[in-house]
Amino acid sequence: MSIWFKDYSEISLKDASTGIDKTLGIEYLELGVNFLTAKMPVNDHTKQPLGLLHGGASCVLAESVASFAAFLCINPEKKNVVGLNLNANHLKSVKDGFVFAKATPIHIGKSTSVWNVEITNENGDLISIVKFTAMHKDIIK
């Protein structure tokens, strides 16, 4: 059974990146039954001074994909999603190519959701493990 608020099978992920996502080159790839994936280039916009993928860029990728996934689980007419907590463990460095993030839920409740995000390189090696918590905030009218 799908975790999403409604059937998003026809959603176009191609134009979903805005703001910092677009600046860093994050592209959303696949919306599965219980996951969302994205990719980000390792380039001058996402590297730290030593030429490695910046941990902060990895955190942006993780928060973006998990926040988007959390948003797709709520009724957007009644709630919005904001980040509460992000915990990242960076396990391996990357110098070039792309990294891929996959967000899967640990918990989806009425007021919060918790997401596991695994970031891998092009060879499938685990680069970072991120846990993200989102608050499902009521829209005040």
Side-chain angles (χ1 to χ4, degrees), residues 18 59-60:
T18 62
C59 289
V60 170

Side-chain angles (χ1 to χ4, degrees), residues 24-73:
L24 295 183
I26 294 171
E27 296 177 47
Y28 294 94
L29 301 174
E30 182 181 3
L31 182 66
V33 174
N34 69 340
F35 68 88
L36 178 62
T37 62
K39 74 176 182 177
M40 180 178 71
V42 180
N43 59 25
D44 288 341
H45 297 289
T46 60
K47 287 182 183 179
Q48 41 97 308
L50 296 176
L52 304 173
L53 176 63
H54 195 291
S58 295
C59 289
V60 170
L61 173 61
E63 182 158 353
S64 291
V65 72
S67 289
F68 190 9
F71 178 79
L72 296 175
C73 292

Side-chain angles (χ1 to χ4, degrees), residues 115-126:
W115 297 83
N116 185 65
V117 181
E118 292 190 355
I119 299 175
T120 57
N121 65 12
E122 292 174 298
N123 295 324
D125 299 324
L126 192 57

Side-chain angles (χ1 to χ4, degrees), residues 28-140:
Y28 294 94
L29 301 174
E30 182 181 3
L31 182 66
V33 174
N34 69 340
F35 68 88
L36 178 62
T37 62
K39 74 176 182 177
M40 180 178 71
V42 180
N43 59 25
D44 288 341
H45 297 289
T46 60
K47 287 182 183 179
Q48 41 97 308
L50 296 176
L52 304 173
L53 176 63
H54 195 291
S58 295
C59 289
V60 170
L61 173 61
E63 182 158 353
S64 291
V65 72
S67 289
F68 190 9
F71 178 79
L72 296 175
C73 292
I74 54 101
N75 180 344
E77 294 178 6
K78 295 183 178 181
K79 294 189 179 271
N80 208 336
V81 172
V82 293
L84 285 179
N85 186 51
L86 182 133
N87 178 284
N89 291 282
H90 306 296
L91 309 172
K92 191 172 184 175
S93 60
V94 181
K95 291 184 177 183
D96 54 28
F98 287 89
V99 288
F100 301 86
K102 182 176 184 178
T104 55
I106 297 169
H107 163 78
I108 301 173
K110 290 181 182 181
S111 60
T112 62
S113 57
V114 181
W115 297 83
N116 185 65
V117 181
E118 292 190 355
I119 299 175
T120 57
N121 65 12
E122 292 174 298
N123 295 324
D125 299 324
L126 192 57
I127 303 304
S128 298
I129 298 172
V130 181
K131 188 187 296 183
F132 174 76
T133 304
M135 178 171 62
H136 306 172
K137 186 176 175 156
D138 290 334
I139 295 173
I140 300 170

